[in-house]
Amino acid sequence: MMKQLIPATGEVLIIHTWGIGDLILLTPVLRTVHTLYPQLKLSFLFFPHSAAIPIRGAAYVHSIQFTAWKPAILLKTILSLRHKRYD
């Protein structure tokens, strides 16, 4: 039996390291995932703050976090994310 690629429940972290255009193209996929798996929580980690604009306030967004490429900030973010259990 093949393992399901997307868990039906739980929380998934999507890490977005690039600009706004990539997320605009990904938005229809995120809506479809939410439609197929409404119990699944989609959380996002963004490096550029402006990249989150297309999904702010969307029904499928559970949480949005931001970080930066500066080593101290990135390390703090990684350490805080390790305490959270993502599927």
Side-chain angles (χ1 to χ4, degrees):
M1 177 174 230
M2 191 167 130
K3 184 178 177 183
Q4 188 175 1
L5 295 177
I6 300 174
T9 60
E11 188 170 355
V12 176
L13 178 66
I14 298 170
I15 301 173
H16 187 74
T17 61
W18 202 244
I20 194 170
D22 293 341
L23 192 63
I24 289 171
L25 295 174
L26 185 62
T27 301
V29 174
L30 297 172
R31 278 196 299 261
T32 301
V33 168
H34 177 67
T35 300
L36 295 173
Y37 305 99
Q39 297 84 10
L40 183 63
K41 296 176 183 174
L42 298 177
S43 294
F44 296 84
L45 175 64
F46 288 96
F47 282 75
H49 286 268
S50 62
I53 291 170
I55 65 162
R56 284 192 178 153
Y60 52 81
V61 175
H62 180 259
S63 68
I64 297 176
Q65 299 177 51
F66 299 97
T67 192
W69 288 112
K70 294 180 181 177
I73 297 171
L74 186 56
L75 181 60
K76 183 179 176 182
T77 302
I78 291 169
L79 292 174
S80 71
L81 290 174
R82 289 188 68 189
H83 296 290
K84 183 95 172 139
R85 296 283 184 209
Y86 292 101
D87 297 315

